[in-house]
Amino acid sequence: MTTQSIPVVDGLIDTIEQQLAARDLHALTETLAPLTAADLVPLFDRLSLRRRAVVFRLLGKQRALEVFESLDPELQSDLLAGLHDAEVARLFAELDPDDRAWLLEELPASLATRLLRGLPETDRVLTAAVLGYPQGSVGRRMTPEYVWTRIGLTVDQSLARVRARLDDAETVYTIPVLDDVRRVVGVVSLRDLLGADPRASVEELMQQAHTAAAVEHAESAARRCADLALLAMPIVDSEQRLVGMFTIDDAVRILEREENEDTARQGGTEPLRRPYLSTPVRSIVRSRVVWLLVLAIGATLTVQVLSVFESTLERVTVLALFVPLLIGTGGNTGNQAATTVTRALALGDVGPRDLLRVLSRELRTGAMLGLLLGGLGFAVAGLVYSPQIGAVIGITLLTVCTVAAAVGGCMPLLARAVRVDPAVFSNPFISTFVDATGLIVYFMIAKTILQL
């Protein structure tokens, strides 16, 4: 039962909550017994903080560690708050150094300091080395526990190094090859070593090494690791000396978090960082209220535009009927362009240098969409009201779609150029901007065509 559908998870949650309510810990232990760590993680995502701690204490030592390692750092932090100091220290000590660094970013400073002091000297040094790199860098996400070999060694000697580190190395499938001063000169896979002549030189088997600088942004390194389909990537310092390994599981986790963050911000909210059902309501409110206030202030621009053209609306009241249509169409067009370009930025398909090319493409795309929608608007409004009203609607749709697509496509690139998260220039901001400018265009075209 390594994968579970939502109904199965819901059934288990109901059973666990009933047994907790009845304080039948024996029955609860029997319910948990056949579940693997992969089965338990979705349950922990949905249990309350107190019940999560109770269930965790009923797990065996090894299974508890497997579950803990599989949880997001935010949930790990929450879980530690419900455990005794001895349990917290044991779990913290069992983690890999890079996972410790991730967790420490979520813990209160006092607890983080206490846990670091309680580590054995060797583990404390390894963890401190990871924490020494800037927050957000791939150095914070690398593991300092790895296997390496030297360019002058044979296959048999290299395999002996692998066997000696099997218990403590986080990854052994990709092995960096170093020269005499610890510079990375290549990599060799464990598969190639196992299939080669034991007397052969590692130099004959090694391939080009794709490395990342320890200070490089973690998302950039993760994207490259995934694009190249690497199981692990050597992390080097400014002199190309090996300092750690960045594994594909950490790369996937980083990309998932970044995508969740971008999706949330494009929708006008901050990412929750925790599963929805495990997030307190006050945290959900905090994630939304600031953006709503900012957008409410931005929406006053639309009100101001309407007040300026109030006399025009009084003379031709039919114009008011089309305001929601034009605002909605312009906002949707800008949102589509922004979402497409933000995604292209994340994938590395475009960059700030492509601003003019993106602007050209979005202008043409917006104009074509405007011609299609404007033509339809002209036909419908012209038949129902008058050809002049139809012309106003048709020309406005053409203009609004063109402007909205251009603005929506360029804003993420401008954000990246000034080193701001493109998702901050999210769809609600674009909608607010397009609403105001679209109304100005609408009433100016109406005044011109209708001679108001």
Side-chain angles (χ1 to χ4, degrees), residues 310-339:
E310 186 177 358
S311 60
T312 303
L313 285 172
E314 289 176 350
R315 296 174 63 183
V316 187
T317 56
V318 70
L319 293 177
L321 300 177
F322 292 96
V323 168
L325 167 69
L326 299 174
I327 286 178
T329 302
N332 290 337
T333 303
N335 292 345
Q336 288 177 336
T339 300

Side-chain angles (χ1 to χ4, degrees), residues 128-310:
V130 174
L131 291 171
Y133 293 99
Q135 190 164 358
S137 68
V138 70
R140 281 280 186 109
R141 302 293 173 248
M142 71 180 184
T143 174
E145 297 179 314
Y146 52 85
V147 180
W148 57 274
T149 187
R150 205 176 292 280
I151 194 169
L153 299 183
T154 65
V155 168
D156 195 38
Q157 290 171 320
S158 298
L159 286 174
R161 297 178 68 90
V162 172
R163 295 187 189 98
R165 296 294 307 276
L166 276 178
D167 291 336
D168 56 1
E170 186 172 337
T171 178
V172 297
Y173 300 107
T174 299
I175 304 169
V177 182
L178 311 183
D179 62 13
D180 292 336
V181 291
R182 290 187 60 84
R183 285 193 297 252
V184 178
V185 294
V187 294
V188 62
S189 71
L190 180 61
R191 181 189 183 94
D192 289 342
L193 288 179
L194 291 172
D197 184 342
R199 295 166 296 179
S201 170
V202 166
E203 187 174 2
E204 300 172 16
L205 301 175
M206 72 179 188
Q207 302 172 351
Q208 177 187 359
H210 298 279
T211 63
V215 296
E216 182 179 342
H217 196 279
E219 182 184 1
S220 173
R223 182 72 59 189
R224 195 160 71 254
C225 184
D227 289 344
L228 295 171
L230 302 176
L231 292 177
M233 175 185 288
I235 306 301
V236 297
D237 62 13
S238 59
E239 298 180 1
Q240 292 298 303
R241 291 177 300 197
L242 185 68
V243 293
M245 294 291 287
F246 182 52
T247 56
I248 185 62
D249 59 325
D250 287 328
V252 170
R253 182 194 289 189
I254 289 169
L255 294 178
E256 286 179 348
R257 289 168 68 91
E258 292 293 336
E259 185 171 350
N260 290 339
E261 183 177 285
D262 291 347
T263 301
R265 287 178 174 167
Q266 286 171 2
T269 183
E270 285 297 308
L272 295 179
R273 303 292 186 191
R274 291 168 174 79
Y276 176 77
L277 293 177
S278 298
T279 305
V281 171
R282 63 180 180 276
S283 298
I284 298 176
V285 172
R286 277 200 304 268
S287 73
R288 299 179 185 178
V289 66
V290 174
W291 288 73
L292 286 176
L293 290 173
V294 171
L295 295 175
I297 295 171
T300 59
L301 292 173
T302 303
V303 176
Q304 291 297 320
V305 171
L306 287 172
S307 65
V308 169
F309 292 98
E310 186 177 358

Side-chain angles (χ1 to χ4, degrees), residues 80-112:
L80 292 183
L83 301 177
H84 296 305
D85 287 348
E87 294 174 298
V88 171
R90 178 180 62 81
L91 287 170
F92 187 71
E94 294 285 351
L95 292 175
D96 293 320
D98 55 324
D99 292 330
R100 283 194 210 111
W102 206 318
L103 173 58
L104 287 170
E105 293 175 5
E106 303 296 332
L107 293 176
S110 58
L111 176 58

